[in-house]
Amino acid sequence: MLTNTEKLAWQILTVAPVLKKRLFRPDFDQGANQLPLSYAQVLATLDIEESMTVSEISERFDIAKPNITPLIDRMIEAGYVKRVRNSTDRRVVHVIILEKGREKVREMVASLTNTVQGWSKTMTEEEIHKVTDAIEEIRSILAKGE
């Protein structure tokens, strides 16, 4: 008999590929979004947070600091974000989302919305509501550890 933590581990392993397949199809990266998923996630988080330090982005997404620089550089080149040095501690660099970045997030949300709307062929409205509630509950519980 599996313990609750073992059961959870199995569920995570088995649901991750399904989520990736159902939510982040190849056309998400290749289509209008034209951003790797990690970039899209950072941009969406910046849309909510407004500003994060490079260290905060590194910690939140478990990306090594040396790997954050090219990620941020690409988003700066695209006009999605800008770097701003902290006025009291010049060593601290904040990444701030720009309006073009917010527009990109809206495009990504619209793309995912179309994907979810396609689920109506295989899921009832009640099932979609259950998935929404479950994901929010998972996000809420896991956010406590951050």
Side-chain angles (χ1 to χ4, degrees):
M1 180 114 204
L2 296 176
T3 66
N4 284 336
T5 52
E6 290 170 328
K7 213 185 304 186
L8 177 58
W10 276 105
Q11 289 171 336
I12 290 168
L13 283 175
T14 57
V15 78
V18 173
L19 284 175
K20 185 173 184 197
K21 181 179 178 185
R22 294 289 301 262
L23 291 176
F24 303 111
R25 304 177 321 227
D27 63 339
F28 183 82
D29 280 348
Q30 310 302 317
N33 302 298
Q34 298 171 340
L35 287 177
L37 183 57
S38 60
Y39 289 39
Q41 291 169 326
V42 170
L43 200 56
T45 301
L46 284 170
D47 189 49
I48 294 166
E49 301 290 336
E50 303 278 333
S51 168
M52 294 175 74
T53 66
V54 173
S55 295
E56 288 170 337
I57 294 170
S58 174
E59 186 177 310
R60 171 84 54 99
F61 294 98
D62 198 28
I63 301 171
K65 283 185 186 178
N67 297 331
I68 293 291
T69 300
L71 182 149
I72 300 301
D73 287 346
R74 181 167 177 205
M75 289 194 284
I76 288 171
E77 288 171 17
Y80 298 143
V81 300
K82 69 178 180 178
R83 283 188 186 95
V84 177
R85 292 219 177 258
N86 185 303
S87 58
T88 57
D89 185 349
R90 304 279 300 155
R91 296 171 296 174
V92 177
V93 177
H94 292 271
V95 180
I96 298 172
I97 189 165
L98 300 174
E99 184 54 36
K100 186 174 178 183
R102 292 185 192 285
E103 289 172 17
K104 185 53 120 177
V105 171
R106 287 191 291 271
E107 286 177 26
M108 292 184 293
V109 169
S111 175
L112 285 170
T113 299
N114 288 335
T115 298
V116 172
Q117 285 172 341
W119 292 356
S120 62
K121 297 172 188 151
T122 59
M123 294 172 65
T124 66
E125 193 64 33
E126 181 182 343
E127 289 171 328
I128 291 172
H129 187 68
K130 285 180 181 179
V131 170
T132 301
D133 288 348
I135 289 174
E136 176 55 30
E137 185 71 16
I138 290 167
R139 190 204 57 74
S140 174
I141 290 168
L142 295 180
K144 291 177 186 175
E146 289 185 351

mmCIF file of all heavy atoms in Angstrom, residues 11 30 36 38 42 108:
data_model
loop_
_atom_site.group_PDB
_atom_site.id
_atom_site.type_symbol
_atom_site.label_atom_id
_atom_site.label_comp_id
_atom_site.label_asym_id
_atom_site.label_seq_id
_atom_site.Cartn_x
_atom_site.Cartn_y
_atom_site.Cartn_z
ATOM 1 N N GLN A 11 1.266 10.572 -8.825
ATOM 2 C CA GLN A 11 0.311 11.430 -9.523
ATOM 3 C C GLN A 11 1.025 12.573 -10.243
ATOM 4 O O GLN A 11 0.677 12.911 -11.372
ATOM 5 C CB GLN A 11 -0.734 11.976 -8.547
ATOM 6 C CG GLN A 11 -1.704 10.909 -8.082
ATOM 7 C CD GLN A 11 -2.604 11.380 -6.962
ATOM 8 O OE1 GLN A 11 -2.274 12.298 -6.222
ATOM 9 N NE2 GLN A 11 -3.751 10.739 -6.833
ATOM 10 N N GLN A 30 5.600 27.391 -30.939
ATOM 11 C CA GLN A 30 5.917 27.704 -32.331
ATOM 12 C C GLN A 30 4.993 28.747 -32.935
ATOM 13 O O GLN A 30 5.344 29.395 -33.906
ATOM 14 C CB GLN A 30 5.836 26.431 -33.189
ATOM 15 C CG GLN A 30 6.585 25.249 -32.644
ATOM 16 C CD GLN A 30 8.060 25.519 -32.436
ATOM 17 O OE1 GLN A 30 8.687 26.113 -33.279
ATOM 18 N NE2 GLN A 30 8.613 25.100 -31.307
ATOM 19 N N PRO A 36 9.981 30.260 -25.741
ATOM 20 C CA PRO A 36 10.036 28.995 -25.003
ATOM 21 C C PRO A 36 9.181 29.113 -23.740
ATOM 22 O O PRO A 36 8.985 30.219 -23.210
ATOM 23 C CB PRO A 36 11.516 28.857 -24.656
ATOM 24 C CG PRO A 36 12.234 29.723 -25.636
ATOM 25 C CD PRO A 36 11.296 30.849 -25.949
ATOM 26 N N SER A 38 9.712 28.491 -20.633
ATOM 27 C CA SER A 38 10.330 29.136 -19.470
ATOM 28 C C SER A 38 10.265 30.656 -19.590
ATOM 29 O O SER A 38 10.002 31.356 -18.615
ATOM 30 C CB SER A 38 11.776 28.672 -19.298
ATOM 31 O OG SER A 38 12.545 29.000 -20.438
ATOM 32 N N VAL A 42 8.162 33.259 -17.044
ATOM 33 C CA VAL A 42 8.787 34.409 -16.385
ATOM 34 C C VAL A 42 8.021 35.677 -16.752
ATOM 35 O O VAL A 42 7.706 36.505 -15.882
ATOM 36 C CB VAL A 42 10.282 34.535 -16.753
ATOM 37 C CG1 VAL A 42 10.856 35.867 -16.269
ATOM 38 C CG2 VAL A 42 11.077 33.371 -16.164
ATOM 39 N N MET A 108 -0.606 35.087 -25.011
ATOM 40 C CA MET A 108 -0.421 33.717 -24.505
ATOM 41 C C MET A 108 -1.673 33.227 -23.794
ATOM 42 O O MET A 108 -2.088 32.076 -23.971
ATOM 43 C CB MET A 108 0.789 33.661 -23.571
ATOM 44 C CG MET A 108 2.105 33.874 -24.292
ATOM 45 S SD MET A 108 3.563 33.700 -23.236
ATOM 46 C CE MET A 108 3.408 35.094 -22.130
#
